[in-house]
Amino acid sequence: MIGSVVIVGGGTAGWMTATYLKAAFGERIGVTLVESEQVSRIGVGEATFSTLRHFFDYLGLDEADWLPKCAGGYKLGIRFENWSKPGEHFYHPFERLRTVDGFTMADWWLELGDRSMPFDRQCFITTALCDNKRSPRMMDGSLFAAGLDGSLGKSTLEEQRAQFPYAYHFDADAVAQYLAKYGTDRGVRHIVDNVENVGQDERGWITHVDTKSHGKIEGDLFIDCTGFRGMLINQTMGGEFDSFSDVLPNNRAVALRVPREEATEMNPYTTATAMSAGWMWTIPLFRRNGNGYVYSDQFITPEEAEQELRDAVAPGRDDLQANHIRMRIGRNKQSWVKNCVAIGLSSAFVEPLESTGIFFIQHAVEQLVKHFPDERWDPRLMRDYNDRVGHVVDGVKEFLVLHYKSAQREDTPYWKEAKIREMPAGLAERLELSGSHLLDDETIYPRYHGFENYSWNAMNLGLGNIPPRARPAIKHLDPANARREFANLKAEGEAMVAALPSCYEYLASIND
Ligand SMILES: Cc1cc2nc3c(=O)[nH]c(=O)nc-3n(C[C@H](O)[C@H](O)[C@H](O)COP(=O)(O)OP(=O)(O)OC[C@H]3O[C@@H](n4cnc5c(N)ncnc54)[C@H](O)[C@@H]3O)c2cc1C
């Protein structure tokens, strides 16, 4: 019987893991979380995936309670600025493409669409809500997308049938604190101390961790949530790390927390703006923005990156403290080794583009519960876990490389190099195919990785990698139904913009 779990690390990964295990197993498993006061959390990780709702519902938490306590906001998608031409923008929304007579609206757009207008504004309705800074909820709290509201209960990513229309922005430290209270209220033993040493038996299995002031902490299963240092999985177990720097060169970030003094407006989306040697995130929280420049230090120094970021988002605010971060991009070949499982940055990180870090944590904790071991430590459970966790990361890697390959921008050495850099073999095949027709479920990355075909097509078309013509079959079809659907999309978008409050107005009402 595996009765006790020891988690080292109290960042988003540590607390999401502790609370999820408690929600799943209750008193049947003892959970201890040790976190150091001397090693700070990464302090970023404020934009999420639409799937995160399953996590909060699993814990039985109500959005109206936790979101205001975590300075939260809504994210209907990501707005990409200047990735192809200066001044141009498009959205990657959380919205599936509708289908008419067997072809998606993006296929129909290639034949019937107005090429003077961006594809995303014609094929999705969420883009109208983004352009007009609308909340996805009415003032009475009801959701604009009918049939998708209400708690999902203890459901997991595998059960996600519909595309939920939004994700969250939140203050990462506030979320860790909120979850810490939830966890300790439900019996998580919380120890604030530094782990100085990790004890192993003769087979290399972890027996305990030694802390500075609380002595030895023993357990059956040890979870490494120590961030990029991978104290247990890499430093102790010697787990091999597979770097992605051959295909994704960004290795640093510099972040700034910028107060919004005139906080009467708020964007309901993350913005990803292309910069001279990388890109910048803007994440609107209730009273401030999180900003950060993700870059490769082959092309720009940390000082230059900080200056470019300050000039863009906080001119004259030299009082704001910049947080410089080195990123370890890649994944452990195996995130579960013997009785040690790495979750969070200690396991894998691709890069902040598309906000997948917290999604990886959510996926990993769900899979850990599904593959939870007993005293036999069945290697097939561990193998299957490692396979799934590996594929989620590898699929995201391919999808993110596509962003750089399909972007039309080539005005600086960084963007020129992006075009000639290596890419994963599977992606090369997919891009070759997408020159002829749009990708579908059979031609995107074939294993679960959190992105569906609409995302791959939204990015390709938005970035300007557009097949020259529609599938030949479309010419033989009656276009009447598709034309009607384009008109419906436009009318529904306009009606929603008229009916919904602004994002700020709604959030202000739940922050009262
Ligand atoms: C630049 C950047 C931007 C990002 N943006 C996003 C985003 O927008 N969306 C998203 O989903 N993800 C994002 N991520 C990823 C996200 O930040 C992480 O997935 C998330 O914060 C989890 O971090 P963590 O808990 O693994 O590590 P950390 O936050 O680094 O926490 C590590 C913990 O380990 C503890 N610790 C370390 N050593 C010891 C020791 N010896 N003894 C005891 N405790 C110890 C520390 O005290 C700390 O509590 C981003 C990451 C980076 C680098």
Side-chain angles (χ1 to χ4, degrees), residues 9-13 35-36 39 41-42 44-47 193-195 225-229 231 253 281 344-345 349 352 355 357-358 361:
T12 312
E35 66 174 312
S36 169
V39 187
R41 297 177 184 134
I42 191 103
V44 285
E46 301 186 324
D193 204 341
N194 212 46
V195 170
C225 295
T226 60
F228 284 135
R229 57 190 65 70
M231 185 181 189
W281 77 75
L345 297 173
F349 186 54
S355 329
I358 295 166
I361 299 169

PDB file of all heavy atoms in Angstrom, residues 9-13 35-36 39 41-42 44-47 193-195 225-229 231 253 281 344-345 349 352 355 357-358 361, ligand 1:
ATOM      1  N   GLY A   9       8.499  21.301  -2.950  1.00  0.00           N
ATOM      2  CA  GLY A   9       8.231  22.467  -3.794  1.00  0.00           C
ATOM      3  C   GLY A   9       6.826  22.972  -3.576  1.00  0.00           C
ATOM      4  O   GLY A   9       5.872  22.175  -3.583  1.00  0.00           O
ATOM      5  N   GLY A  10       6.695  24.289  -3.376  1.00  0.00           N
ATOM      6  CA  GLY A  10       5.383  24.872  -3.102  1.00  0.00           C
ATOM      7  C   GLY A  10       5.010  25.961  -4.088  1.00  0.00           C
ATOM      8  O   GLY A  10       4.367  26.942  -3.742  1.00  0.00           O
ATOM      9  N   GLY A  11       5.407  25.772  -5.357  1.00  0.00           N
ATOM     10  CA  GLY A  11       4.951  26.679  -6.415  1.00  0.00           C
ATOM     11  C   GLY A  11       3.602  26.176  -6.940  1.00  0.00           C
ATOM     12  O   GLY A  11       2.927  25.367  -6.289  1.00  0.00           O
ATOM     13  N   THR A  12       3.236  26.651  -8.131  1.00  0.00           N
ATOM     14  CA  THR A  12       1.957  26.220  -8.718  1.00  0.00           C
ATOM     15  C   THR A  12       1.920  24.699  -8.835  1.00  0.00           C
ATOM     16  O   THR A  12       0.901  24.058  -8.562  1.00  0.00           O
ATOM     17  CB  THR A  12       1.774  26.867 -10.110  1.00  0.00           C
ATOM     18  OG1 THR A  12       2.065  28.263 -10.008  1.00  0.00           O
ATOM     19  CG2 THR A  12       0.368  26.701 -10.619  1.00  0.00           C
ATOM     20  N   ALA A  13       3.045  24.102  -9.224  1.00  0.00           N
ATOM     21  CA  ALA A  13       3.067  22.641  -9.417  1.00  0.00           C
ATOM     22  C   ALA A  13       2.861  21.915  -8.091  1.00  0.00           C
ATOM     23  O   ALA A  13       2.053  20.980  -8.007  1.00  0.00           O
ATOM     24  CB  ALA A  13       4.389  22.222 -10.053  1.00  0.00           C
ATOM     25  N   GLU A  35       8.296  23.207   1.374  1.00  0.00           N
ATOM     26  CA  GLU A  35       8.761  24.277   0.475  1.00  0.00           C
ATOM     27  C   GLU A  35       9.741  25.173   1.219  1.00  0.00           C
ATOM     28  O   GLU A  35       9.630  25.368   2.423  1.00  0.00           O
ATOM     29  CB  GLU A  35       7.600  25.086  -0.095  1.00  0.00           C
ATOM     30  CG  GLU A  35       6.834  25.897   0.906  1.00  0.00           C
ATOM     31  CD  GLU A  35       5.789  26.793   0.246  1.00  0.00           C
ATOM     32  OE1 GLU A  35       6.136  27.489  -0.728  1.00  0.00           O
ATOM     33  OE2 GLU A  35       4.638  26.807   0.720  1.00  0.00           O
ATOM     34  N   SER A  36      10.671  25.701   0.462  1.00  0.00           N
ATOM     35  CA  SER A  36      11.740  26.499   1.055  1.00  0.00           C
ATOM     36  C   SER A  36      11.373  27.974   1.028  1.00  0.00           C
ATOM     37  O   SER A  36      10.781  28.457   0.062  1.00  0.00           O
ATOM     38  CB  SER A  36      13.008  26.272   0.225  1.00  0.00           C
ATOM     39  OG  SER A  36      13.985  27.194   0.596  1.00  0.00           O
ATOM     40  N   VAL A  39      14.338  29.601  -1.373  1.00  0.00           N
ATOM     41  CA  VAL A  39      14.275  29.512  -2.844  1.00  0.00           C
ATOM     42  C   VAL A  39      12.904  30.014  -3.262  1.00  0.00           C
ATOM     43  O   VAL A  39      11.881  29.408  -2.927  1.00  0.00           O
ATOM     44  CB  VAL A  39      14.451  28.047  -3.317  1.00  0.00           C
ATOM     45  CG1 VAL A  39      14.550  27.991  -4.830  1.00  0.00           C
ATOM     46  CG2 VAL A  39      15.639  27.389  -2.644  1.00  0.00           C
ATOM     47  N   ARG A  41       9.604  31.084  -5.574  1.00  0.00           N
ATOM     48  CA  ARG A  41       8.873  30.540  -6.725  1.00  0.00           C
ATOM     49  C   ARG A  41       9.295  31.304  -7.970  1.00  0.00           C
ATOM     50  O   ARG A  41       9.795  32.414  -7.867  1.00  0.00           O
ATOM     51  CB  ARG A  41       7.373  30.725  -6.532  1.00  0.00           C
ATOM     52  CG  ARG A  41       6.850  29.986  -5.347  1.00  0.00           C
ATOM     53  CD  ARG A  41       5.358  30.286  -5.175  1.00  0.00           C
ATOM     54  NE  ARG A  41       4.875  29.648  -3.976  1.00  0.00           N
ATOM     55  CZ  ARG A  41       4.103  30.239  -3.055  1.00  0.00           C
ATOM     56  NH1 ARG A  41       3.712  31.483  -3.222  1.00  0.00           N
ATOM     57  NH2 ARG A  41       3.724  29.586  -1.990  1.00  0.00           N
ATOM     58  N   ILE A  42       8.948  30.740  -9.143  1.00  0.00           N
ATOM     59  CA  ILE A  42       9.380  31.370 -10.399  1.00  0.00           C
ATOM     60  C   ILE A  42       8.703  32.739 -10.590  1.00  0.00           C
ATOM     61  O   ILE A  42       9.269  33.634 -11.221  1.00  0.00           O
ATOM     62  CB  ILE A  42       9.125  30.424 -11.591  1.00  0.00           C
ATOM     63  CG1 ILE A  42       9.782  30.916 -12.866  1.00  0.00           C
ATOM     64  CG2 ILE A  42       7.657  30.179 -11.843  1.00  0.00           C
ATOM     65  CD1 ILE A  42      11.023  30.205 -13.223  1.00  0.00           C
ATOM     66  N   VAL A  44       6.128  33.686 -12.296  1.00  0.00           N
ATOM     67  CA  VAL A  44       5.383  33.910 -13.543  1.00  0.00           C
ATOM     68  C   VAL A  44       4.448  32.709 -13.724  1.00  0.00           C
ATOM     69  O   VAL A  44       4.388  31.834 -12.869  1.00  0.00           O
ATOM     70  CB  VAL A  44       6.331  34.078 -14.751  1.00  0.00           C
ATOM     71  CG1 VAL A  44       6.994  35.441 -14.742  1.00  0.00           C
ATOM     72  CG2 VAL A  44       7.362  32.963 -14.786  1.00  0.00           C
ATOM     73  N   GLY A  45       3.761  32.666 -14.867  1.00  0.00           N
ATOM     74  CA  GLY A  45       2.802  31.580 -15.068  1.00  0.00           C
ATOM     75  C   GLY A  45       1.422  32.077 -14.721  1.00  0.00           C
ATOM     76  O   GLY A  45       0.780  31.591 -13.792  1.00  0.00           O
ATOM     77  N   GLU A  46       0.973  33.103 -15.484  1.00  0.00           N
ATOM     78  CA  GLU A  46      -0.267  33.784 -15.132  1.00  0.00           C
ATOM     79  C   GLU A  46      -1.362  33.636 -16.187  1.00  0.00           C
ATOM     80  O   GLU A  46      -2.469  34.118 -15.978  1.00  0.00           O
ATOM     81  CB  GLU A  46       0.037  35.266 -14.886  1.00  0.00           C
ATOM     82  CG  GLU A  46       1.064  35.425 -13.770  1.00  0.00           C
ATOM     83  CD  GLU A  46       1.323  36.862 -13.350  1.00  0.00           C
ATOM     84  OE1 GLU A  46       1.302  37.757 -14.216  1.00  0.00           O
ATOM     85  OE2 GLU A  46       1.565  37.069 -12.158  1.00  0.00           O
ATOM     86  N   ALA A  47      -1.051  32.979 -17.301  1.00  0.00           N
ATOM     87  CA  ALA A  47      -2.079  32.741 -18.318  1.00  0.00           C
ATOM     88  C   ALA A  47      -2.266  31.233 -18.446  1.00  0.00           C
ATOM     89  O   ALA A  47      -1.317  30.477 -18.297  1.00  0.00           O
ATOM     90  CB  ALA A  47      -1.648  33.322 -19.662  1.00  0.00           C
ATOM     91  N   ASP A 193      10.596  24.669   4.965  1.00  0.00           N
ATOM     92  CA  ASP A 193      11.976  24.321   5.322  1.00  0.00           C
ATOM     93  C   ASP A 193      12.739  24.012   4.036  1.00  0.00           C
ATOM     94  O   ASP A 193      12.150  23.758   2.989  1.00  0.00           O
ATOM     95  CB  ASP A 193      11.978  23.082   6.227  1.00  0.00           C
ATOM     96  CG  ASP A 193      13.235  23.009   7.096  1.00  0.00           C
ATOM     97  OD1 ASP A 193      14.226  23.686   6.746  1.00  0.00           O
ATOM     98  OD2 ASP A 193      13.217  22.272   8.091  1.00  0.00           O
ATOM     99  N   ASN A 194      14.049  24.008   4.167  1.00  0.00           N
ATOM    100  CA  ASN A 194      14.885  23.722   3.008  1.00  0.00           C
ATOM    101  C   ASN A 194      15.261  22.243   2.983  1.00  0.00           C
ATOM    102  O   ASN A 194      15.733  21.728   3.985  1.00  0.00           O
ATOM    103  CB  ASN A 194      16.165  24.564   3.129  1.00  0.00           C
ATOM    104  CG  ASN A 194      16.691  24.950   1.784  1.00  0.00           C
ATOM    105  OD1 ASN A 194      15.918  25.388   0.939  1.00  0.00           O
ATOM    106  ND2 ASN A 194      17.987  24.783   1.576  1.00  0.00           N
ATOM    107  N   VAL A 195      15.022  21.596   1.846  1.00  0.00           N
ATOM    108  CA  VAL A 195      15.509  20.214   1.713  1.00  0.00           C
ATOM    109  C   VAL A 195      16.989  20.297   1.361  1.00  0.00           C
ATOM    110  O   VAL A 195      17.375  20.934   0.375  1.00  0.00           O
ATOM    111  CB  VAL A 195      14.715  19.448   0.633  1.00  0.00           C
ATOM    112  CG1 VAL A 195      15.370  18.107   0.329  1.00  0.00           C
ATOM    113  CG2 VAL A 195      13.274  19.252   1.080  1.00  0.00           C
ATOM    114  N   CYS A 225       8.727  18.937  -7.271  1.00  0.00           N
ATOM    115  CA  CYS A 225       8.130  20.182  -7.789  1.00  0.00           C
ATOM    116  C   CYS A 225       9.090  21.326  -7.494  1.00  0.00           C
ATOM    117  O   CYS A 225       8.676  22.429  -7.107  1.00  0.00           O
ATOM    118  CB  CYS A 225       6.761  20.432  -7.158  1.00  0.00           C
ATOM    119  SG  CYS A 225       5.529  19.193  -7.606  1.00  0.00           S
ATOM    120  N   THR A 226      10.386  21.070  -7.643  1.00  0.00           N
ATOM    121  CA  THR A 226      11.398  22.075  -7.268  1.00  0.00           C
ATOM    122  C   THR A 226      11.736  23.021  -8.409  1.00  0.00           C
ATOM    123  O   THR A 226      12.718  23.761  -8.328  1.00  0.00           O
ATOM    124  CB  THR A 226      12.688  21.405  -6.758  1.00  0.00           C
ATOM    125  OG1 THR A 226      13.212  20.582  -7.813  1.00  0.00           O
ATOM    126  CG2 THR A 226      12.452  20.576  -5.515  1.00  0.00           C
ATOM    127  N   GLY A 227      10.972  22.994  -9.490  1.00  0.00           N
ATOM    128  CA  GLY A 227      11.235  23.938 -10.571  1.00  0.00           C
ATOM    129  C   GLY A 227      12.377  23.480 -11.457  1.00  0.00           C
ATOM    130  O   GLY A 227      12.751  22.294 -11.485  1.00  0.00           O
ATOM    131  N   PHE A 228      12.965  24.448 -12.180  1.00  0.00           N
ATOM    132  CA  PHE A 228      13.974  24.107 -13.194  1.00  0.00           C
ATOM    133  C   PHE A 228      15.153  23.308 -12.628  1.00  0.00           C
ATOM    134  O   PHE A 228      15.842  22.614 -13.354  1.00  0.00           O
ATOM    135  CB  PHE A 228      14.520  25.381 -13.839  1.00  0.00           C
ATOM    136  CG  PHE A 228      13.591  26.018 -14.844  1.00  0.00           C
ATOM    137  CD1 PHE A 228      13.371  27.397 -14.850  1.00  0.00           C
ATOM    138  CD2 PHE A 228      12.953  25.256 -15.816  1.00  0.00           C
ATOM    139  CE1 PHE A 228      12.531  28.001 -15.789  1.00  0.00           C
ATOM    140  CE2 PHE A 228      12.111  25.837 -16.759  1.00  0.00           C
ATOM    141  CZ  PHE A 228      11.904  27.213 -16.735  1.00  0.00           C
ATOM    142  N   ARG A 229      15.419  23.423 -11.300  1.00  0.00           N
ATOM    143  CA  ARG A 229      16.604  22.725 -10.765  1.00  0.00           C
ATOM    144  C   ARG A 229      16.412  21.216 -10.742  1.00  0.00           C
ATOM    145  O   ARG A 229      17.400  20.488 -10.721  1.00  0.00           O
ATOM    146  CB  ARG A 229      16.981  23.259  -9.380  1.00  0.00           C
ATOM    147  CG  ARG A 229      15.876  23.167  -8.379  1.00  0.00           C
ATOM    148  CD  ARG A 229      16.185  23.908  -7.079  1.00  0.00           C
ATOM    149  NE  ARG A 229      16.320  25.342  -7.210  1.00  0.00           N
ATOM    150  CZ  ARG A 229      15.325  26.187  -7.462  1.00  0.00           C
ATOM    151  NH1 ARG A 229      14.091  25.740  -7.636  1.00  0.00           N
ATOM    152  NH2 ARG A 229      15.528  27.465  -7.563  1.00  0.00           N
ATOM    153  N   MET A 231      15.601  19.027  -8.421  1.00  0.00           N
ATOM    154  CA  MET A 231      16.457  18.547  -7.335  1.00  0.00           C
ATOM    155  C   MET A 231      16.374  17.017  -7.140  1.00  0.00           C
ATOM    156  O   MET A 231      17.377  16.352  -6.898  1.00  0.00           O
ATOM    157  CB  MET A 231      16.067  19.246  -6.034  1.00  0.00           C
ATOM    158  CG  MET A 231      16.977  18.901  -4.888  1.00  0.00           C
ATOM    159  SD  MET A 231      16.442  19.717  -3.391  1.00  0.00           S
ATOM    160  CE  MET A 231      17.836  19.329  -2.352  1.00  0.00           C
ATOM    161  N   ALA A 253      13.960  34.925 -20.186  1.00  0.00           N
ATOM    162  CA  ALA A 253      12.817  35.846 -20.176  1.00  0.00           C
ATOM    163  C   ALA A 253      13.094  36.926 -19.149  1.00  0.00           C
ATOM    164  O   ALA A 253      13.859  36.720 -18.205  1.00  0.00           O
ATOM    165  CB  ALA A 253      11.532  35.108 -19.816  1.00  0.00           C
ATOM    166  N   TRP A 281       4.830  38.846 -23.756  1.00  0.00           N
ATOM    167  CA  TRP A 281       3.464  38.569 -23.305  1.00  0.00           C
ATOM    168  C   TRP A 281       2.898  39.768 -22.550  1.00  0.00           C
ATOM    169  O   TRP A 281       3.636  40.485 -21.880  1.00  0.00           O
ATOM    170  CB  TRP A 281       3.397  37.307 -22.446  1.00  0.00           C
ATOM    171  CG  TRP A 281       3.878  37.412 -21.025  1.00  0.00           C
ATOM    172  CD1 TRP A 281       3.240  37.998 -19.974  1.00  0.00           C
ATOM    173  CD2 TRP A 281       5.109  36.881 -20.486  1.00  0.00           C
ATOM    174  NE1 TRP A 281       3.987  37.859 -18.823  1.00  0.00           N
ATOM    175  CE2 TRP A 281       5.135  37.180 -19.105  1.00  0.00           C
ATOM    176  CE3 TRP A 281       6.186  36.176 -21.029  1.00  0.00           C
ATOM    177  CZ2 TRP A 281       6.185  36.819 -18.265  1.00  0.00           C
ATOM    178  CZ3 TRP A 281       7.235  35.810 -20.193  1.00  0.00           C
ATOM    179  CH2 TRP A 281       7.234  36.129 -18.833  1.00  0.00           C
ATOM    180  N   GLY A 344       5.658  19.787 -13.164  1.00  0.00           N
ATOM    181  CA  GLY A 344       5.947  21.222 -13.276  1.00  0.00           C
ATOM    182  C   GLY A 344       7.248  21.436 -14.026  1.00  0.00           C
ATOM    183  O   GLY A 344       7.665  20.620 -14.859  1.00  0.00           O
ATOM    184  N   LEU A 345       7.916  22.535 -13.713  1.00  0.00           N
ATOM    185  CA  LEU A 345       9.131  22.900 -14.460  1.00  0.00           C
ATOM    186  C   LEU A 345      10.231  21.863 -14.284  1.00  0.00           C
ATOM    187  O   LEU A 345      11.121  21.744 -15.137  1.00  0.00           O
ATOM    188  CB  LEU A 345       9.622  24.274 -13.995  1.00  0.00           C
ATOM    189  CG  LEU A 345       8.658  25.437 -14.268  1.00  0.00           C
ATOM    190  CD1 LEU A 345       9.150  26.719 -13.610  1.00  0.00           C
ATOM    191  CD2 LEU A 345       8.467  25.658 -15.770  1.00  0.00           C
ATOM    192  N   PHE A 349       9.348  21.918 -19.783  1.00  0.00           N
ATOM    193  CA  PHE A 349       8.814  23.245 -20.121  1.00  0.00           C
ATOM    194  C   PHE A 349       9.180  23.525 -21.574  1.00  0.00           C
ATOM    195  O   PHE A 349      10.327  23.332 -21.964  1.00  0.00           O
ATOM    196  CB  PHE A 349       9.405  24.318 -19.195  1.00  0.00           C
ATOM    197  CG  PHE A 349       8.796  25.673 -19.405  1.00  0.00           C
ATOM    198  CD1 PHE A 349       7.423  25.849 -19.334  1.00  0.00           C
ATOM    199  CD2 PHE A 349       9.587  26.773 -19.692  1.00  0.00           C
ATOM    200  CE1 PHE A 349       6.837  27.089 -19.547  1.00  0.00           C
ATOM    201  CE2 PHE A 349       9.015  28.020 -19.894  1.00  0.00           C
ATOM    202  CZ  PHE A 349       7.645  28.178 -19.813  1.00  0.00           C
ATOM    203  N   PRO A 352       6.918  29.872 -22.871  1.00  0.00           N
ATOM    204  CA  PRO A 352       5.634  30.417 -22.423  1.00  0.00           C
ATOM    205  C   PRO A 352       4.586  30.623 -23.525  1.00  0.00           C
ATOM    206  O   PRO A 352       3.410  30.784 -23.214  1.00  0.00           O
ATOM    207  CB  PRO A 352       6.017  31.770 -21.806  1.00  0.00           C
ATOM    208  CG  PRO A 352       7.468  31.680 -21.508  1.00  0.00           C
ATOM    209  CD  PRO A 352       8.049  30.741 -22.518  1.00  0.00           C
ATOM    210  N   SER A 355       0.965  29.389 -23.362  1.00  0.00           N
ATOM    211  CA  SER A 355       0.627  29.157 -21.940  1.00  0.00           C
ATOM    212  C   SER A 355       0.365  27.687 -21.589  1.00  0.00           C
ATOM    213  O   SER A 355      -0.724  27.339 -21.107  1.00  0.00           O
ATOM    214  CB  SER A 355      -0.637  29.936 -21.546  1.00  0.00           C
ATOM    215  OG  SER A 355      -0.787  31.118 -22.246  1.00  0.00           O
ATOM    216  N   GLY A 357       2.426  25.645 -19.516  1.00  0.00           N
ATOM    217  CA  GLY A 357       3.083  25.112 -18.316  1.00  0.00           C
ATOM    218  C   GLY A 357       2.087  24.560 -17.298  1.00  0.00           C
ATOM    219  O   GLY A 357       2.252  23.446 -16.775  1.00  0.00           O
ATOM    220  N   ILE A 358       1.045  25.328 -17.010  1.00  0.00           N
ATOM    221  CA  ILE A 358       0.076  24.903 -15.990  1.00  0.00           C
ATOM    222  C   ILE A 358      -0.796  23.770 -16.544  1.00  0.00           C
ATOM    223  O   ILE A 358      -1.197  22.863 -15.812  1.00  0.00           O
ATOM    224  CB  ILE A 358      -0.753  26.114 -15.506  1.00  0.00           C
ATOM    225  CG1 ILE A 358       0.206  27.081 -14.784  1.00  0.00           C
ATOM    226  CG2 ILE A 358      -1.889  25.703 -14.597  1.00  0.00           C
ATOM    227  CD1 ILE A 358      -0.347  28.464 -14.528  1.00  0.00           C
ATOM    228  N   ILE A 361       0.955  20.644 -15.879  1.00  0.00           N
ATOM    229  CA  ILE A 361       0.793  20.214 -14.482  1.00  0.00           C
ATOM    230  C   ILE A 361      -0.553  19.512 -14.321  1.00  0.00           C
ATOM    231  O   ILE A 361      -0.656  18.439 -13.730  1.00  0.00           O
ATOM    232  CB  ILE A 361       0.880  21.431 -13.530  1.00  0.00           C
ATOM    233  CG1 ILE A 361       2.245  22.115 -13.643  1.00  0.00           C
ATOM    234  CG2 ILE A 361       0.609  21.006 -12.086  1.00  0.00           C
ATOM    235  CD1 ILE A 361       2.317  23.478 -12.932  1.00  0.00           C
TER     236      ILE A 361
HETATM  237  C1  LIG B   1       9.143  32.991 -18.291  1.00  0.00           C
HETATM  238  C2  LIG B   1       8.059  32.018 -17.989  1.00  0.00           C
HETATM  239  C3  LIG B   1       6.741  32.340 -18.258  1.00  0.00           C
HETATM  240  C4  LIG B   1       5.724  31.409 -18.014  1.00  0.00           C
HETATM  241  N1  LIG B   1       4.442  31.713 -18.338  1.00  0.00           N
HETATM  242  C5  LIG B   1       3.483  30.772 -18.191  1.00  0.00           C
HETATM  243  C6  LIG B   1       2.125  31.047 -18.517  1.00  0.00           C
HETATM  244  O1  LIG B   1       1.758  32.156 -18.900  1.00  0.00           O
HETATM  245  N2  LIG B   1       1.236  30.057 -18.372  1.00  0.00           N
HETATM  246  C7  LIG B   1       1.564  28.815 -17.910  1.00  0.00           C
HETATM  247  O2  LIG B   1       0.705  27.937 -17.840  1.00  0.00           O
HETATM  248  N3  LIG B   1       2.826  28.560 -17.527  1.00  0.00           N
HETATM  249  C8  LIG B   1       3.777  29.500 -17.649  1.00  0.00           C
HETATM  250  N4  LIG B   1       5.039  29.232 -17.244  1.00  0.00           N
HETATM  251  C9  LIG B   1       5.287  28.003 -16.516  1.00  0.00           C
HETATM  252  C10 LIG B   1       4.806  28.178 -15.082  1.00  0.00           C
HETATM  253  O3  LIG B   1       5.431  29.309 -14.513  1.00  0.00           O
HETATM  254  C11 LIG B   1       5.145  26.958 -14.261  1.00  0.00           C
HETATM  255  O4  LIG B   1       4.622  25.836 -14.921  1.00  0.00           O
HETATM  256  C12 LIG B   1       4.517  27.032 -12.895  1.00  0.00           C
HETATM  257  O5  LIG B   1       4.746  28.253 -12.268  1.00  0.00           O
HETATM  258  C13 LIG B   1       5.034  25.922 -12.037  1.00  0.00           C
HETATM  259  O6  LIG B   1       6.284  26.213 -11.506  1.00  0.00           O
HETATM  260  P1  LIG B   1       6.859  25.175 -10.488  1.00  0.00           P
HETATM  261  O7  LIG B   1       5.930  25.056  -9.350  1.00  0.00           O
HETATM  262  O8  LIG B   1       7.226  23.943 -11.227  1.00  0.00           O
HETATM  263  O9  LIG B   1       8.241  25.826 -10.022  1.00  0.00           O
HETATM  264  P2  LIG B   1       8.567  27.080  -9.074  1.00  0.00           P
HETATM  265  O10 LIG B   1       7.543  28.140  -9.104  1.00  0.00           O
HETATM  266  O11 LIG B   1       9.976  27.449  -9.436  1.00  0.00           O
HETATM  267  O12 LIG B   1       8.553  26.478  -7.603  1.00  0.00           O
HETATM  268  C14 LIG B   1       9.620  25.735  -7.086  1.00  0.00           C
HETATM  269  C15 LIG B   1       9.361  25.446  -5.637  1.00  0.00           C
HETATM  270  O13 LIG B   1      10.360  24.547  -5.163  1.00  0.00           O
HETATM  271  C16 LIG B   1      10.818  24.989  -3.911  1.00  0.00           C
HETATM  272  N5  LIG B   1      12.177  24.476  -3.700  1.00  0.00           N
HETATM  273  C17 LIG B   1      13.224  24.515  -4.548  1.00  0.00           C
HETATM  274  N6  LIG B   1      14.311  23.956  -3.970  1.00  0.00           N
HETATM  275  C18 LIG B   1      13.917  23.543  -2.728  1.00  0.00           C
HETATM  276  C19 LIG B   1      14.583  22.908  -1.658  1.00  0.00           C
HETATM  277  N7  LIG B   1      15.857  22.575  -1.711  1.00  0.00           N
HETATM  278  N8  LIG B   1      13.867  22.644  -0.537  1.00  0.00           N
HETATM  279  C20 LIG B   1      12.555  22.959  -0.441  1.00  0.00           C
HETATM  280  N9  LIG B   1      11.878  23.566  -1.451  1.00  0.00           N
HETATM  281  C21 LIG B   1      12.561  23.855  -2.559  1.00  0.00           C
HETATM  282  C22 LIG B   1      10.748  26.507  -3.985  1.00  0.00           C
HETATM  283  O14 LIG B   1      10.729  27.083  -2.695  1.00  0.00           O
HETATM  284  C23 LIG B   1       9.411  26.674  -4.726  1.00  0.00           C
HETATM  285  O15 LIG B   1       8.346  26.604  -3.789  1.00  0.00           O
HETATM  286  C24 LIG B   1       6.054  30.160 -17.459  1.00  0.00           C
HETATM  287  C25 LIG B   1       7.374  29.857 -17.144  1.00  0.00           C
HETATM  288  C26 LIG B   1       8.378  30.758 -17.421  1.00  0.00           C
HETATM  289  C27 LIG B   1       9.789  30.394 -17.101  1.00  0.00           C
END
